[in-house]
Amino acid sequence: MKRILPATLLFLAIGIAPALAQTYLGIQGAMGVPTGAFAKEYAIGYGGNGQFLYNLVEDNLWIVGEIGFKYFGYDNPEREELSGRLTTVPLFGSVRYQLAKGNFRPYVGGGLGIHFGSRKLEEQQAVGVKIYRRSESSIGAAFLGGFLYPISTKLQLDATVLVQTILFEDIADSPAFLSVKVGILFPVAF
């Protein structure tokens, strides 16, 4: 039994090492531009995310998992008595298909995830401030496009544009926004 455990761990390490050669970690800054009815109540948002990427099928197919944070400030000129914010923490998975090889590598794809949202609004009243708080989790979807470009032997620039919709019901009426994310990827290696 004492020899089986080390042999099993060695076998797993040998089997996992080639897979890790195509595994990347990334970090991105993000800007969200509200669209539709969401744009009437909220200003341009900002945030960021961390990514885990796995490259399949000879560099053409990427599986991506990410966690992030986005902040949108309340900005409705018709409701000047209100101020506040909407934040969301997405746990998001996507698939990217790389369209070309070489230095400039564009990709397209789509994704689905769970968004944990929170809204806080403060209403100025004659006798003080009334605070409204709501939290909700819901499914969100996105279509995306972007590109990868090497900036050194190890680092790659990753720029992505997403059209996102979150199916919130209580804290906002299905917010939709255009998200622009730019960051770097680096390989995970031993």
Side-chain angles (χ1 to χ4, degrees), residues 15-30:
I16 292 173
L20 289 177
Q22 296 186 22
T23 303
Y24 296 83
L25 294 177
I27 187 166
Q28 293 180 314

Side-chain angles (χ1 to χ4, degrees), residues 97-111:
Y97 180 74
Q98 187 173 295
L99 300 172
K101 294 186 179 189
N103 281 338
F104 181 75
R105 293 176 288 158
Y107 57 81
V108 295

Side-chain angles (χ1 to χ4, degrees), residues 21 26 50-51 56 70 72 92 95 97 114 164 169 173 181:
Q51 299 174 297
L56 299 170
K70 284 205 177 61
F72 295 93
F92 200 71
V95 176
Y97 180 74
I114 297 175
Q164 292 186 278
E169 294 177 359
D173 188 19
K181 301 190 296 186

Side-chain angles (χ1 to χ4, degrees), residues 18-19 21-24 53-64 94-98 101:
Q22 296 186 22
T23 303
Y24 296 83
L53 299 94
Y54 187 72
N55 187 224
L56 299 170
V57 193
E58 298 180 18
D59 295 334
N60 285 341
L61 192 63
W62 294 75
I63 307 297
V64 181
S94 63
V95 176
R96 299 176 178 179
Y97 180 74
Q98 187 173 295
K101 294 186 179 189

Side-chain angles (χ1 to χ4, degrees), residues 30-35 37-48 68-76 83-90 115-121 162-166 168 171-172 174-181:
M31 180 179 72
V33 180
T35 60
F38 189 54
K40 294 178 182 175
E41 294 189 339
Y42 289 90
I44 291 176
Y46 56 88
F69 176 81
K70 284 205 177 61
Y71 172 97
F72 295 93
Y74 189 83
D75 184 28
N76 185 344
S83 63
R85 53 134 177 95
L86 182 139
T87 60
T88 178
V89 175
H115 293 258
F116 301 95
S118 175
R119 180 186 70 184
K120 178 182 176 185
L121 293 177
L162 299 95
V163 177
Q164 292 186 278
T165 298
I166 305 171
F168 288 146
I171 63 174
S174 293
F177 51 95
L178 181 71
S179 189
V180 178
K181 301 190 296 186

